[in-house]
Amino acid sequence: MYAKFTPFPSSSTTLFSRICVGLIFSFNLTLATPVFAVPAPQSITFTTPSDIALTDPAFTAIATGGGSGNPVTFISNTPAVCTATGANGATITPVGLGFCSIAANQAGLGVTFLAAPTVTQAFFIKLGQTITFGALSTKIADDPPFEVTATSSATGINATSPITFTSLTLSVCTTGGVNGSTVTLINAGVCTIQANQASNTTYAAAAPVNQSFTATPVTKVTASIIGAANGSITPFGRILVLLEDKTEFRISPNPGYLAQVGGTCGGAFVNMGGIPPGGNNSVYVIAPFTENCSVTFTFVAQRPTLTISGVLGVTTPVLAMPTPTSSVENTPVTFAATLRGAVGTVDSAVLSFFSDGASISGCENRPVVFAPIDDASAYRATCTTSALARGTRIITAQFAGNANNFAATTDASAIPSQALTHTVTTAPPIPDTTPDNFSFIPQSGLTLSVAATSNVITVTGINTSTTISINGVGSAYSIGCNGVFTSTTSSINNGESVCVRQTTSGLNNTTVTATLTIGGVSATFSATTLSFIPDTTPDAFGFTTISGAMAGATLISNAITVSGINSPAPISIDAPASTTAAFSVGCDSTFTTAPTTITNGARVCVRLTANANDGASAKANLVIGGVTGIFTVENATIAPVKRFRIYISSTLGHLFTTDENEYNVLTIRSPTIYLAEGVDHRVYRSALMRDNQVTVPYYRLYLRGIRQHFWTTDANEYNALRADTTNVGDDGIDSYIFLRAGVAGTVPLYRMVLTGTAIHHWTVDANEFNVLTSSGVWLGEGAAGNPPGVTGYVWPR
């Protein structure tokens, strides 16, 4: 006799058992052998119904019986999931989620037909899902392929069946691509697309949804812009036009651009008087057409050419390649600029003249005059001035541009439009090499041993070159302040700039000087270093926390660079005694725990051993000059897994497993033999430490004689039992549990033995344990050092 025990209410005091008694009777009879008519067999053909949704309506079960003519009747083996009602029970109604089992029967007919063997078919009743597939808009028959979308009411991680699309009108449209979502038009007509969603382990197949739209025939013009836009056209893209009709486009180029037209439509620009073809607000009209065509626009830059000339008192000649000219100071000179290749009308007052890049007084915004003497699009502007100073000047002209043209400028490098080199001469002046007084601004608070550069001064008051020299250790000067310095005596001209560079002292609060002399006039530049104030407090620093570390692993932080100090600062490390921490100056392989000092700009890393406990963290404090940076290592938390309990009616024992698939297969396929009792508790799949307690292996063996499994945390007991390979099967380590109390949240796992047998039972239900062991039939068997009957500690379910 074996007993099956399930958790008891706290008030229960009765021990339940299941007792099976078999009685066997044997008879030996000798009878005459009569002759009987043998009834014919008959059979039932019953096709498996498809899986349906809980929200689906009732359906009629259909089966074909044998020759008796009796009706096939149906009954539900799972009335909590589905019912069989109506005529012969053929109306099957879903009432719950799960596995629906329907049995078909057919009665016999006297001595003519035997009753047909029962045929059982099963299917699943699942969650329902619906498709939302919005209306589709009208398309043009030659539109490019496009995507259709639909959504499903199914949600969650089990909503995995994709929505697929199928064309029901293949002569008009086809589907392809991912799940058939790409619709390609073939001909004009009505296209019908059907959306479907198949069933999966959770949801039944959705009802198909159809959407239709019309693909219309069309004659069209396709208008496009080639290359970079630089303008726009209206209309743009695909334009529907009646047969034998025409359409027009309005052109809007960016300033300085004209539109050029191509394509297959033909046509021409409309003469709009004053607006050049392809210019702003011009209109292009295509020719009447009878089939699809295209028109393309390209916006081309209009860059007029500008040339300049300069002759004494003459304005007419134009020099394509100007040559240097000269004039005498305070004598009028005339410059002329000619603009060629401009589009449309060039506005007045758009040409200006410059000397060395500076505007020439009286030569700004000069009016232009049409000059057909040169070519059909030439314009000229002139400027006469006597305001040029002595010397050689680069004379340039500039066209400001307008709505139809880019700007144009003459310069020395653009061919053929060169600038004009013009020299203004005069009688040699009386040499003056003594400049006006100049000075340099003293600088202080400077860093030690660096190059300090003075303010810029400009030489004035001389009319010829004069000498320049520097005096001072580590000093130099730069004419033009262009970064090129020298200490060699040289010459300098009026209007040139100069600055002085001096290397500061290597001592604090010390002044060094450099004296610059130009034409006998001197000025001193002084540079004073800062006063020394020791600073050993660095800028704030920190380390990146490392998460998900393995317990007990040794990890190295990111490197930090010390900044904000000017003197060596103390450095030390502080960490709890349960961890091992050290630091490395330079972040090489050398780590130490000994306090030392560190300088500005040095790199530091911290090495830390992770906490030995699962889910715990370890911290190390690195202290530099009183500023603390914390390096934290956080261990990964390993979650316990479910351990299921099954009652086995054939052996009256229990099976515990962490394999949910094993649990489901046994209890669903053979629910009368393997009774599902759910999650009993939780355990670990691997060894770990929690609250300073290490898990121990929980061994599993199979006792063949009584066909039951056995679990123990005692390695000696495990090894002794598995040595008997004839009667005991070794299943290895089932899981890991805590042997002792102390881990927050865990509960005792009790072990009992049935008196006089090898049958054991385990439970986390203290009431069940107390009731069974108080009966005297079951005895508690715990691990040494634990309370009576406690073999270890696990997580509650």
Side-chain angles (χ1 to χ4, degrees):
M1 177 183 70
Y2 299 90
K4 167 196 177 283
F5 296 97
T6 54
F8 291 83
S10 58
S11 60
S12 175
T13 57
T14 303
L15 181 66
F16 293 88
S17 64
R18 303 185 182 189
I19 303 174
C20 299
V21 178
L23 300 178
I24 301 175
F25 298 90
S26 176
F27 298 91
N28 185 9
L29 301 177
T30 302
L31 301 174
T33 304
V35 177
F36 295 101
V38 179
Q42 56 181 349
S43 62
I44 298 172
T45 301
F46 183 12
T47 303
T48 304
S50 300
D51 293 347
I52 63 172
L54 180 61
T55 55
D56 284 350
F59 67 92
T60 301
I62 300 175
T64 303
S68 70
N70 289 327
V72 177
T73 61
F74 304 90
I75 61 171
S76 171
N77 296 326
T78 54
V81 178
C82 56
T83 60
T85 58
N88 299 317
T91 299
I92 309 303
T93 303
V95 295
L97 298 174
F99 190 76
C100 174
S101 175
I102 303 297
N105 296 277
Q106 186 182 28
L109 182 63
V111 295
T112 305
F113 288 97
L114 295 172
T118 299
V119 177
T120 300
Q121 296 292 0
F123 60 96
F124 281 97
I125 297 177
K126 305 176 180 178
L127 293 174
Q129 57 183 350
T130 57
I131 299 172
T132 300
F133 185 14
L136 302 176
S137 60
T138 299
K139 299 288 183 181
I140 298 171
D142 63 346
D143 275 345
F146 62 95
E147 301 293 323
V148 292
T149 60
T151 59
S152 171
S153 63
T155 60
I157 61 174
N158 292 323
T160 55
S161 294
I163 296 176
T164 59
F165 302 91
T166 305
S167 170
L168 302 183
T169 52
L170 294 177
S171 63
V172 178
C173 57
T174 62
T175 54
V178 178
N179 298 321
S181 61
T182 300
V183 178
T184 301
L185 298 177
I186 305 299
N187 291 301
V190 176
C191 171
T192 300
I193 304 298
Q194 184 176 90
N196 293 275
Q197 188 175 29
S199 66
N200 59 20
T201 56
T202 303
Y203 291 90
V209 179
N210 295 345
Q211 290 291 358
S212 299
F213 65 91
T214 300
T216 60
V218 66
T219 303
K220 66 182 183 301
V221 175
T222 301
S224 60
I225 297 174
I226 304 300
N230 295 315
S232 61
I233 56 173
T234 304
F236 181 77
R238 187 164 53 192
I239 304 101
L240 306 183
V241 183
L242 297 176
L243 294 177
E244 302 293 345
D245 205 347
K246 57 186 178 181
T247 190
E248 65 179 37
F249 297 88
R250 187 162 295 275
I251 316 302
S252 301
N254 290 348
Y257 287 87
L258 283 180
Q260 296 179 354
V261 186
T264 61
C265 293
F269 280 103
V270 177
N271 185 357
M272 303 189 66
I275 299 179
N280 194 39
N281 286 323
S282 61
V283 174
Y284 185 84
V285 179
I286 66 169
F289 65 98
T290 58
E291 59 184 17
N292 296 342
C293 66
S294 64
V295 58
T296 60
F297 294 84
T298 305
F299 291 95
V300 180
Q302 299 302 299
R303 301 182 184 275
T305 301
L306 185 64
T307 58
I308 186 170
S309 64
V311 293
L312 299 178
V314 180
T315 61
T316 301
V318 174
L319 302 180
M321 297 290 288
T323 57
T325 62
S326 63
S327 62
V328 179
E329 188 177 11
N330 298 321
T331 299
V333 62
T334 298
F335 302 105
T338 303
L339 185 71
R340 293 180 175 83
V343 176
T345 302
V346 177
D347 299 332
S348 62
V350 290
L351 270 168
S352 298
F353 296 83
F354 301 86
S355 170
D356 290 341
S359 224
I360 301 175
S361 177
C363 293
E364 306 94 340
N365 299 324
R366 301 301 295 163
V368 296
V369 178
F370 180 54
I373 177 177
D374 296 302
D375 58 54
S377 63
Y379 291 84
R380 181 179 297 115
T382 61
C383 163
T384 301
T385 182
S386 58
L388 293 179
R390 296 185 307 270
T392 299
R393 303 281 180 256
I394 301 298
I395 308 300
T396 56
Q398 183 182 75
F399 168 57
N402 62 6
N404 294 318
N405 299 279
F406 279 101
T409 303
T410 63
D411 57 65
S413 60
I415 302 298
S417 300
Q418 293 184 334
L420 180 67
T421 301
H422 188 85
T423 302
V424 178
T425 63
T426 188
I430 299 173
D432 182 2
T433 59
T434 303
D436 299 331
N437 289 331
F438 58 90
S439 62
F440 296 104
I441 301 171
Q443 296 182 13
S444 59
L446 302 177
T447 304
L448 307 182
S449 301
V450 297
T453 302
S454 73
N455 56 294
V456 179
I457 63 101
T458 301
V459 177
T460 59
I462 62 175
N463 58 15
T464 187
S465 296
T466 190
T467 59
I468 179 172
S469 61
I470 191 79
N471 183 33
V473 177
S475 62
Y477 66 90
S478 172
I479 297 176
C481 297
N482 56 8
V484 179
F485 285 84
T486 182
S487 58
T488 303
T489 299
S490 181
S491 62
I492 192 169
N493 297 308
N494 196 65
E496 289 188 292
S497 59
V498 64
C499 52
V500 172
R501 186 175 68 188
Q502 173 67 55
T503 301
T504 62
S505 173
L507 302 175
N508 290 96
N509 199 28
T510 302
T511 301
V512 293
T513 60
T515 301
L516 184 73
T517 301
I518 302 175
V521 178
S522 299
T524 298
F525 171 56
S526 63
T528 305
T529 53
L530 54 78
S531 299
F532 180 77
I533 301 175
D535 182 4
T536 59
T537 302
D539 299 333
F541 60 91
F543 297 96
T544 303
T545 296
I546 295 178
S547 301
M550 294 181 60
T554 298
L555 300 163
I556 297 175
S557 73
N558 57 295
I560 63 101
T561 300
V562 178
S563 61
I565 62 176
N566 60 16
S567 298
I571 180 172
S572 61
I573 194 157
D574 177 39
S578 59
T579 61
T580 300
F583 64 90
S584 172
V585 177
C587 293
D588 53 19
S589 59
T590 303
F591 285 80
T592 182
T593 59
T596 183
T597 59
I598 194 168
T599 57
N600 198 62
R603 298 170 72 245
V604 187
C605 300
V606 173
R607 186 178 67 192
L608 179 63
T609 301
N611 195 295
N613 279 284
D614 170 60
S617 63
K619 294 183 179 181
N621 300 324
L622 185 72
V623 183
I624 302 176
V627 177
T628 300
I630 302 174
F631 176 42
T632 302
V633 174
E634 297 175 342
N635 291 354
T637 299
I638 300 176
V641 298
K642 300 175 181 177
R643 195 158 183 256
F644 302 87
R645 179 168 132 171
I646 304 170
Y647 173 67
I648 306 173
S649 60
S650 60
T651 64
L652 306 182
H654 287 86
L655 172 66
F656 295 85
T657 180
T658 59
D659 186 340
E660 189 169 358
N661 181 61
E662 178 184 32
Y663 175 81
N664 290 331
V665 168
L666 292 175
T667 57
I668 292 176
R669 289 185 177 179
S670 305
T672 59
I673 298 176
Y674 298 96
L675 180 62
E677 294 186 345
V679 178
D680 189 74
H681 54 273
R682 294 173 186 261
V683 294
Y684 290 106
R685 292 194 188 278
S686 60
L688 56 81
M689 179 182 287
R690 175 73 64 86
D691 291 348
N692 296 318
Q693 185 175 156
V694 179
T695 57
V696 297
Y698 198 27
Y699 302 97
R700 184 171 108 169
L701 302 116
Y702 179 68
L703 308 182
R704 295 188 179 95
I706 59 174
R707 293 188 300 154
Q708 293 202 15
H709 287 87
F710 177 80
W711 289 265
T712 181
T713 59
D714 188 337
N716 291 328
E717 182 178 32
Y718 166 70
N719 289 323
L721 288 173
R722 70 173 180 163
D724 181 6
T725 57
T726 301
N727 299 306
V728 178
D730 181 10
D731 290 346
I733 297 175
D734 178 76
S735 56
Y736 290 81
I737 65 176
F738 294 105
L739 184 61
R740 305 291 181 220
V743 177
T746 59
V747 298
L749 175 62
Y750 298 94
R751 181 173 111 169
M752 296 163 280
V753 60
L754 186 63
T755 303
T757 73
I759 298 175
H760 286 76
H761 181 55
W762 292 261
T763 183
V764 293
D765 188 338
N767 180 60
E768 181 180 20
F769 172 77
N770 291 331
V771 169
L772 292 176
T773 54
S774 64
S775 67
V777 177
W778 291 90
L779 301 177
E781 285 187 339
N786 281 345
V790 177
T791 189
Y793 291 81
V794 295
W795 296 96
R797 63 183 178 186

